[in-house]
Structure formats: C-alpha cells, structure tokens
C-alpha cells in the first residue's frame, strides 16, 4: 500500500507527514493529505502492450507558423510577444482587486471585435455580474459568450461544441474536476485542472487564459508545476495608491521574457500607456536632494523612472533600511561599497529608498543611480534635473557598463534630458545634444559630483 503524501495548499510543498505549520512558506493549517488523481484503482505499470507510433517531423519542415491574433491593445500584444498564439496556455496572476478580471474582460472584448470567437467562463461571478461590469466598461456590445460554471468536465464539453478561438478561465482555483477526490482550490485540483486545460488547448488549437490567485508573498498560489505546464506566465502588479498597473511577463515561450505593458486605472477601466517614461516622470517637480532619474530597460523597452532616497539621523540603536520597489539586499551592498571603497559611512543613519510610480526594478544597472540618490540625500545636494544615471557597481568599486546603453540614451534624449552619467565602455552611438560623463570607478564619480571620496 502506498504511503500517504501531504501538500501545502499555499505554496505546494510536499511532505511525508502532517504538521501544523508549513516549512516552505510558514503558513499554519494549510497542509492536507493528497488524494489520488482518480477514484479508480491504484496505478499500475504500462505493461507489455505496445503503443502506437508517434508521428515525427524535422526542424527543416516548411510548415508556416500559425498566425498570431492581435487584440488592438498594444501593451497587451507587446507582452504576449506580438499577439496571441493559437493553442497557447497562459496563466495570469495578481493581487486581489488589482484589475485582473477587468483587464481580461477588456482583452476578450477586443479580440472578439477583431473577429475571434471568444468565451469568458467565470467561476467567481454570475453571468449577470459580468454583464454589469461589461456595461460599466462600455463593452456590452462586444460579441463575447459568457458562462458561469466551475465543473471542468462541463466546461470542456461546451468548448468542444462551441470551438472558440479564445477562452478565459476566471479563475483556475475555482475549477473542480470530478475525477479528483479533493476540494476545489486544493493542490490536486489546481494541478489536475491546469493540466486538463493545457492539454485541451494543445489538442484543439484553442487558446486558454487562466487567472491564478496569488499568495501573500506575491507568488501564484498552488503547485509551481502549474507554471511549468503553461506557455506564458504573466503577473499583473501595481500599488493601490497609484493609478499605474504593470503587466509583466516572467515566462514566455513565444516572446521576450521580462517584457512589460503599462496601464492606467481609470473610471472607465484600464487605459494603455504608450509612453510610460513620460507618465512615471510626470509628477516629478524641481530638482531636490535625493532625487535622480534612472534609465532602465524592461524587456525590450527603455523606461525612465525616478529614484527617491532619504537619509536622516536614526533615533534607534539599529538604523532602519527601508526599500520600496528594489532589492533590499542590493541596497545593503551599495552602502557597504560606499563605506569600504569611498570612506562614506552610513552608520547611525536611517536610509529610505523608493521607486516612484509603483514600478519594481530588478536589474543591476540601477546601482549607480541608487548610489547617486543616497549621496545626494546624505550631502543635501541636488543633482541637475536634466541628467539620467545608470551603471552597475562591483564590490571593488569599479563601474561596469550596462546593456543596451544606446537605447537608454535615446529614450532620455527623446524626453528632453541633456546629460547622462554612465560607466565607460558601453556603446553609445552618435547622439547630438547629449553630454556624456563616463566615470571609471565609484571613487571618481563621488569626487567629481560631491567633492569627497
């Protein structure tokens, strides 16, 4: 008899015995016993029976790739890699209330108006509630078919009969497969439902977009194997205090990963932002200490964003290090390099760093901009407002050039910036009207702009 296995419903971690607290995510009372994938007999080996031969093709075949379906929403098509690929399975995650259902309802209406047969299946709302939301968004006239159902067998039967080009499943955690002996939302149910829908998409050529709930850590709830099943994983993120929303691709078999699409939340739904750099800098006032503009790259798109730093004497024995929108560990590294290589201590000082607009930055090219913001705040000296900064800092204090330097500088020049600070060595091209400063190490940068080091 097979030994029982247990899984955490929050993070999907597996255990051999039950415990009250999950060692993977730290949640309490989330571990339950896994049921078999079917109520039938125990699994047996395939045996000696021979299967059928699988059709083989070579890479040099002349088959044309399937045409992509365009929604007309430029930011969405960009994140998908240039449009919707037939027979693709897409997983969309995001915090509750961030706008996932609104985005997908607008997307499915846009695809339907372009001539693609679409179906919206809601497991969380009644059809009347979805229609009410569509009327508020001005989408009531879109030829979208609606269904409110959670039984996966009934949904697949309907899809076989209707044969739409695109189906939205909102959400995968509410789906219930009757061949799995566990409650909806459990690890077994989510895994089985995602597998059935992905297999159905590949077999029939129907594109499937599944909405996934996220945990308190921001990861899609359920087993991580679900993210490996699908072709594309998108995260819809943003701060509730800002009107900006970022649709970020973290996995895409048909396009660039780490691509972003920027939307603005309005009373009539989500509006796409074609020039996010101008929007992120729109609320930036006169130059002030601690404020610098970083020229970053998100996917294939250059994005300019303001970094804000505040350095103040700490009343506590342990100074605070607070970061919003950047990696806290990397901030600690920058502070250590400034102290060890440049002789600028931050002991006894509280340090706060914020990425304006709710954007999250992960690339190391922001190191030099962060260091400049920290020094500007510490010395109470503002950098010129028409200057952009980017570059990576090594532990030795040397500056390394960032990738796509020319694209960053072109975006800065397009928005009216006249000077840039970037490490030596990057390819800049010929940019007229843009003054370049090319320090080779952090000590030289500090000495030139702050007179100390």
């Amino acid at each position: 008899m097979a030994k029982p296995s247990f899984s955490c419903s929050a993070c999907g971690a597996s255990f051999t015995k039950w415990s009250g607290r999950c060692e993977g995510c730290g949640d309490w009372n989330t571990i339950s016993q896994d049921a078999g994938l079917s109520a039938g007999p125990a699994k047996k080996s395939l045996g000696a029976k021979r299967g059928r031969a699988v059709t083989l093709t070579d890479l040099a075949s002349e088959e044309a790739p399937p045409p992509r379906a365009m929604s007309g929403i430029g930011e969405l098509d960009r994140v998908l890699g240039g449009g919707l690929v037939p027979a693709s399975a897409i997983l969309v995650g995001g915090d509750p209330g961030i706008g996932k259902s609104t985005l997908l309802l607008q997307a499915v209406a846009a695809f339907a108006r372009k001539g693609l047969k679409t179906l919206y299946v809601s497991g969380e709302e009644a059809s009347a509630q979805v229609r009410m939301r569509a009327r508020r968004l001005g989408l009531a006239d879109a030829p979208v078919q609606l269904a409110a159902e959670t039984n996966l067998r009934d949904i697949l039967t309907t899809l076989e009969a209707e044969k739409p080009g695109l189906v939205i499943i909102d959400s995968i955690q509410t789906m219930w497969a009757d061949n799995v002996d566990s409650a909806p939302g459990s690890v077994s149910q989510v895994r089985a439902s995602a597998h059935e829908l992905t297999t159905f998409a590949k077999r029939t050529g129907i594109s499937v977009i599944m909405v996934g709930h996220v945990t308190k850590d921001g990861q899609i709830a359920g087993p991580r194997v679900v993210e490996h099943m699908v072709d594309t994983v998108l995260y819809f993120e943003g701060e509730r205090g800002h009107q900006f929303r970022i649709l970020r691709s973290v996995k895409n078999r048909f396009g660039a990963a780490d691509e972003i699409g920027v939307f603005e939340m309005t009373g009539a739904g989500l509006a796409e932002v074609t020039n996010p750099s101008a929007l992120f800098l729109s609320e930036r006032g006169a130059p002030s200490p601690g404020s610098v503009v970083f020229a970053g790259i998100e996917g294939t798109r250059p994005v300019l964003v303001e970094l804000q730093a505040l350095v103040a004497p700490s009343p506590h024995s342990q100074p605070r290090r607070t970061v919003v929108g950047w990696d806290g560990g990397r901030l600690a590294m920058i502070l250590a390099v400034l102290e060890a290589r440049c002789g600028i201590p931050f002991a006894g000082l509280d340090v706060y760093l914020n990425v304006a607009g709710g954007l999250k930055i992960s690339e190391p090219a922001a190191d030099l901009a962060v260091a400049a913001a920290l020094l500007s705040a510490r010395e109470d000296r503002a950098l010129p407002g028409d200057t952009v900064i980017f570059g990576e800092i090594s532990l030795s204090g040397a500056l390394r050039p960032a990738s796509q330097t020319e694209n960053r500088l072109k975006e800065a020049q397009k928005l009216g910036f006249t000077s840039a600070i970037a490490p030596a060595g990057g390819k800049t091209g010929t940019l007229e009207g843009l003054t370049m400063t090319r320090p080779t190490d952090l000590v030289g940068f500090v000495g030139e702009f702050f007179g100390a080091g």
Side-chain angles (χ1 to χ4, degrees), residues 282-303:
S282 60
E283 299 178 357
R284 186 168 181 258
S288 61
S291 174
V292 301
V293 176
F294 164 62
I297 293 288
E298 293 289 342
T300 59
R301 160 188 283 172
V303 176

Side-chain angles (χ1 to χ4, degrees), residues 376-389:
S376 173
R378 185 183 186 278
E379 302 298 326
D380 198 26
R381 183 182 302 178
L383 290 172
D386 58 352
T387 302
V388 295
I389 306 175

Side-chain angles (χ1 to χ4, degrees), residues 336-415:
V337 172
L338 285 172
E339 182 166 358
R341 305 302 180 188
C342 303
I344 302 177
F346 283 83
L349 298 173
D350 287 337
V351 175
Y352 302 89
L353 182 68
N354 176 51
V355 180
L359 187 66
K360 294 181 180 179
I361 297 175
S362 58
E363 61 171 332
D367 290 350
L368 187 58
V370 170
L374 294 173
L375 293 171
S376 173
R378 185 183 186 278
E379 302 298 326
D380 198 26
R381 183 182 302 178
L383 290 172
D386 58 352
T387 302
V388 295
I389 306 175
F390 59 91
E392 182 181 353
I393 298 176
S394 66
L395 292 179
S396 64
L399 299 182
R400 296 177 179 175
S403 61
Q404 303 188 45
T405 298
E406 189 173 359
N407 291 339
R408 300 173 196 260
L409 296 176
K410 285 182 178 179
E411 179 73 8
Q413 189 180 39
K414 184 173 68 175
L415 292 178

Side-chain angles (χ1 to χ4, degrees), residues 27-394:
D27 285 356
W28 289 87
N29 299 322
T30 57
I31 297 178
S32 59
Q33 183 174 350
D34 292 335
L37 291 180
S38 67
K43 293 182 180 179
K44 297 180 180 180
S45 63
L46 292 178
K49 182 180 179 181
R50 293 173 62 88
R52 60 180 177 84
V54 178
T55 304
L56 302 177
T57 60
D58 55 18
L59 290 175
S61 61
E62 298 297 329
E63 288 187 22
R68 295 175 182 260
M70 306 297 290
S71 66
I73 303 176
E75 296 298 297
L76 176 63
D77 293 337
R78 170 195 287 270
V79 176
L80 291 175
L84 182 67
V85 176
S88 60
I90 301 169
L91 182 63
V92 180
D95 292 332
I98 204 68
K100 301 185 299 296
S101 298
T102 299
L103 173 66
L104 292 180
L105 187 58
Q106 291 183 229
V108 75
F111 279 113
R113 287 169 174 168
K114 289 286 185 177
L116 188 68
K117 187 176 181 180
T118 59
L119 178 61
Y120 189 101
V121 179
S122 176
E124 301 178 348
E125 298 176 282
S127 298
Q129 294 173 317
V130 178
R131 283 194 294 268
M132 181 174 62
R133 181 152 46 88
R135 283 194 296 268
R136 179 176 61 85
L137 300 174
L139 307 175
D141 59 338
V144 178
Q145 294 178 297
L146 297 177
E149 184 57 62
T150 59
N151 190 310
L152 187 60
R153 190 182 298 273
D154 294 345
I155 292 172
L156 295 179
T157 302
T158 303
L159 296 180
E160 288 276 10
E162 295 293 333
K163 293 181 172 57
L166 170 64
V167 58
I168 308 293
I169 304 295
D170 188 8
S171 64
I172 188 64
Q173 274 83 7
T174 61
M175 294 296 107
W176 173 68
D178 54 16
N179 65 321
V180 179
D181 188 16
S182 59
S186 63
V187 172
S188 300
Q189 284 284 1
V190 172
R191 182 192 296 117
S193 299
H195 179 265
E196 290 288 346
L197 288 168
T198 302
T199 304
F200 178 81
K202 304 302 179 186
R203 177 170 53 87
T204 61
I206 297 173
S207 298
V208 178
I209 299 179
M210 297 172 277
V211 178
H213 296 165
V214 298
T215 64
K216 61 184 179 182
D217 296 328
Q219 302 296 322
I220 293 179
R224 295 303 299 269
V225 69
V226 173
E227 297 188 24
H228 300 294
M229 291 180 188
V230 299
D231 301 308
T232 303
V233 179
L234 308 178
Y235 277 89
F236 199 46
E237 57 192 34
E239 298 291 337
R240 292 185 179 273
H242 297 279
Q243 71 271 30
F244 312 130
R245 299 289 186 270
I246 309 295
L247 182 64
R248 186 184 302 273
S249 169
V250 297
K251 172 189 174 183
N252 194 347
R253 290 175 179 158
F254 313 116
D258 291 331
E259 189 69 84
I260 68 166
V262 184
F263 297 86
E264 183 179 6
M265 181 64 76
T266 66
L270 292 162
E272 58 177 328
V273 178
T274 56
N275 190 349
S277 298
L279 187 62
F280 286 134
L281 298 177
S282 60
E283 299 178 357
R284 186 168 181 258
S288 61
S291 174
V292 301
V293 176
F294 164 62
I297 293 288
E298 293 289 342
T300 59
R301 160 188 283 172
V303 176
L304 269 61
V305 64
E306 181 185 6
L307 301 182
Q308 302 168 345
L310 176 63
V311 178
S314 176
H316 309 286
S317 58
Q318 186 70 24
R320 292 185 177 181
R321 303 288 187 259
T322 305
V323 187
V324 177
W326 205 51
D327 183 21
R330 202 153 188 96
L331 173 64
M333 186 197 77
I334 298 300
L335 294 174
V337 172
L338 285 172
E339 182 166 358
R341 305 302 180 188
C342 303
I344 302 177
F346 283 83
L349 298 173
D350 287 337
V351 175
Y352 302 89
L353 182 68
N354 176 51
V355 180
L359 187 66
K360 294 181 180 179
I361 297 175
S362 58
E363 61 171 332
D367 290 350
L368 187 58
V370 170
L374 294 173
L375 293 171
S376 173
R378 185 183 186 278
E379 302 298 326
D380 198 26
R381 183 182 302 178
L383 290 172
D386 58 352
T387 302
V388 295
I389 306 175
F390 59 91
E392 182 181 353
I393 298 176
S394 66

